[in-house]
Amino acid sequence: MSSNDTAIPIFKKRHDTHEFSPTESADIRKEVAEARAAAVAVGTWVLESPPGEDGSLQRTPIQPLPFRIGRSAGAQLLLPSTHVSKTHAEIYTDGLTLRVRDLGSRNGTFLNREQVKDGPLHDGDVLHVGDYEYRVAREFVIEDDDCDDAEGTIVQTRPLSRNFIQGASRIRELIDQAAVTMVFQPVVTLPGGKVSACEALGRGRLEGLPESPVELFALAEASGPEAQAELSRLFRRKAVELVKDLPEPPKLFVNTHEEELVRPGLLQSLEELRSYAPHVDLVLEIHERALAEIDVISKLRNKLLEINVGLAYDDFGAGQARLFELAEAPPDYLKFDRRFVTGLGTAPVSRQRLVAALVAAASELRVKTIAEGVETPEEAAACVRAGFAYAQGYHYAKPMPVEKLLE
């Protein structure tokens, strides 16, 4: 690479700013922007992700700018996860620094574990998008007189974030020690708001590892899919353990990881829970996208009926509203993704009618409907009008430790 390729433009000598014409002012602004952009562009910025199966470091160049991240096909970084919005975030330059901004995503964008709307990126920062983690790294291309490669030599930056390397190696320790706890978010009846059930949500409790289940599952992925399945089973076991001795244990919605649906062990773990706490009413949540495998889900539903465990489809509508598959294998509960609920109270009449029609269609199948992510009184009232049987969200209660359930 020649020095001219990254040279910062040299400004011409100018008059006092008061003497500039509008055209001259525009030219100066353009030159300044070009100079700043050139300064930022020196070197190559990449996103480093966990090592692959062969141990190699996965690196994605951040180019071209703006660099869109999301679930839609047009994104420069395509992340196929329901925790990632279609257009989730973008990395861009303001001409002076490299920055990241959230694009109104559902789950937020996090920089160094803090939620960020718009902020600068630095070498070594850790970026979270949904259940994906990346380390921001800057590599400089330098001239090497002894190298025949005209493109220069890439200089390696410091190692991948400790979270990937140390965290992934300690997931087994967390599982073996059962170092997790659970919080519980009430599910209420509509209308009225009476608590009728709780969803159990896992949290890590091992020093040096994150609490967030999304981050823990991402770390477990580095150890293989069986570790993810084990972690999911551990969360369910802990949830039942915490509520089984309550005077009146709530109906408990417990989650699954998608890996559990493609490997043995799910039904056995549920049968063990049923034997361990036969008096606890259990409902198993699986993600809506699992409906793509309708034969598998139909068999699962029949097996759950045999051991007296209910079935709920979670995040309905997050991908596709699979109405035909829903009719073939109707669950006991259908949890509508929060995108149907957010802003519903002030939404156009056409959208409110659409939600009401979907709720009515589910009700025709004798499926109980739950609105997720209800955060305001207006959304709560709209959910009542739409015909939802139940609701869940911060408007009613945040996730709480088991002790709070007794109050």
Side-chain angles (χ1 to χ4, degrees), residues 313-328:
Y313 296 153
D314 191 22
D315 292 335
F316 180 72
Q320 304 176 39
R322 302 178 186 274
L323 294 174
F324 291 105
E325 292 89 342
L326 183 66
E328 291 187 44

Side-chain angles (χ1 to χ4, degrees), residues 62-132:
I62 304 175
Q63 54 183 262
L65 296 177
F67 184 84
R68 285 282 179 102
I69 303 171
R71 208 174 68 239
S72 65
Q76 277 75 37
L77 180 57
L78 181 62
L79 302 178
S81 168
T82 55
H83 297 292
V84 177
S85 299
K86 289 184 178 179
T87 52
H88 195 108
E90 72 174 4
I91 297 174
Y92 71 103
T93 178
D94 61 2
L96 185 61
T97 59
L98 198 67
R99 303 181 67 87
V100 63
R101 61 183 163 210
D102 187 81
L103 299 176
S105 67
R106 183 180 66 173
N107 293 323
T109 301
F110 292 80
L111 186 60
N112 300 322
R113 313 226 175 270
E114 297 291 335
Q115 189 165 2
V116 63
K117 295 296 183 183
D118 191 317
L121 291 174
H122 305 93
D123 189 19
D125 282 348
V126 177
L127 179 67
H128 281 95
V129 178
D131 41 13
Y132 294 85

Side-chain angles (χ1 to χ4, degrees), residues 182-190 192-201 203 243 246 249-255 285 333 335 369-375 389-407:
M182 307 298 293
V183 291
F184 301 86
Q185 186 170 38
V187 176
V188 304
T189 57
L190 293 181
K194 180 182 178 181
V195 176
S196 65
C198 288
E199 180 180 356
L201 303 166
R203 299 288 187 268
V243 305
L246 295 179
K251 177 178 293 186
L252 204 58
F253 284 74
V254 291
N255 288 283
E285 292 192 23
Y333 297 89
K335 302 185 79 172
T369 54
I370 302 175
E372 289 190 292
V374 180
E375 296 187 351
Y390 302 90
Q392 178 181 353
Y394 280 18
H395 172 67
Y396 303 102
K398 294 182 179 181
M400 62 186 71
V402 68
E403 297 79 11
K404 290 284 187 179
L405 296 178
L406 296 172
E407 295 180 359

Side-chain angles (χ1 to χ4, degrees), residues 1 142-153:
M1 178 182 293
I142 63 173
E143 292 295 328
D144 187 344
D145 294 335
D146 298 325
C147 182
D148 294 331
D149 184 359
E151 293 300 317
T153 303

Side-chain angles (χ1 to χ4, degrees), residues 28-80:
I28 291 177
R29 285 194 296 270
K30 181 180 178 182
E31 288 180 359
V32 170
E34 289 175 351
R36 288 176 171 174
V40 171
V42 174
T44 301
W45 289 88
V46 298
L47 294 176
E48 294 183 342
S49 52
E53 295 181 359
D54 60 355
S56 62
L57 189 65
Q58 306 299 306
R59 317 175 91 177
T60 303
I62 304 175
Q63 54 183 262
L65 296 177
F67 184 84
R68 285 282 179 102
I69 303 171
R71 208 174 68 239
S72 65
Q76 277 75 37
L77 180 57
L78 181 62
L79 302 178

Side-chain angles (χ1 to χ4, degrees), residues 132-343:
Y132 294 85
E133 177 182 286
Y134 299 93
R135 187 176 76 82
V136 180
R138 188 175 186 178
E139 298 173 332
F140 287 91
V141 180
I142 63 173
E143 292 295 328
D144 187 344
D145 294 335
D146 298 325
C147 182
D148 294 331
D149 184 359
E151 293 300 317
T153 303
I154 296 294
V155 178
Q156 177 75 30
T157 58
R158 56 185 172 275
L160 188 63
S161 83
R162 286 174 26 183
N163 213 24
F164 282 133
I165 298 172
Q166 296 180 357
S169 67
R170 297 191 66 203
I171 282 293
R172 172 50 53 192
E173 182 182 352
L174 177 141
I175 294 173
D176 291 344
Q177 295 184 14
V180 299
T181 191
M182 307 298 293
V183 291
F184 301 86
Q185 186 170 38
V187 176
V188 304
T189 57
L190 293 181
K194 180 182 178 181
V195 176
S196 65
C198 288
E199 180 180 356
L201 303 166
R203 299 288 187 268
R205 281 294 182 269
L206 186 64
E207 185 176 356
L209 287 184
E211 291 187 2
S212 163
V214 172
E215 295 180 64
L216 290 174
F217 279 116
L219 292 174
E221 186 177 11
S223 300
E226 181 55 35
Q228 293 175 303
E230 285 187 77
L231 181 58
S232 184
R233 293 194 289 267
L234 174 59
F235 280 142
R236 287 198 298 271
R237 175 82 179 192
K238 178 61 73 172
V240 173
E241 177 184 308
L242 289 174
V243 305
K244 71 180 183 67
D245 293 327
L246 295 179
E248 295 183 12
K251 177 178 293 186
L252 204 58
F253 284 74
V254 291
N255 288 283
T256 55
H257 189 277
E258 56 189 12
E259 285 295 335
E260 294 187 274
L261 299 176
V262 296
R263 62 185 57 253
L266 175 59
L267 283 173
Q268 180 182 349
S269 71
L270 293 169
E271 289 171 348
E272 291 173 353
L273 285 182
R274 178 50 65 229
S275 298
Y276 175 61
H279 59 295
V280 176
D281 195 356
L282 295 176
V283 179
L284 185 72
E285 292 192 23
I286 62 174
H287 196 275
E288 177 218 47
R289 62 175 171 266
L291 283 170
E293 303 294 334
I294 193 63
D295 292 339
V296 174
I297 298 305
S298 295
K299 292 177 181 178
L300 174 63
R301 174 172 170 73
N302 292 335
K303 292 292 185 181
L304 293 177
L305 285 172
E306 292 177 9
I307 61 174
N308 194 29
V309 173
L311 177 63
Y313 296 153
D314 191 22
D315 292 335
F316 180 72
Q320 304 176 39
R322 302 178 186 274
L323 294 174
F324 291 105
E325 292 89 342
L326 183 66
E328 291 187 44
D332 299 290
Y333 297 89
L334 186 63
K335 302 185 79 172
F336 278 65
D337 186 75
R338 63 179 298 174
R339 71 179 57 193
F340 286 109
V341 174
T342 301

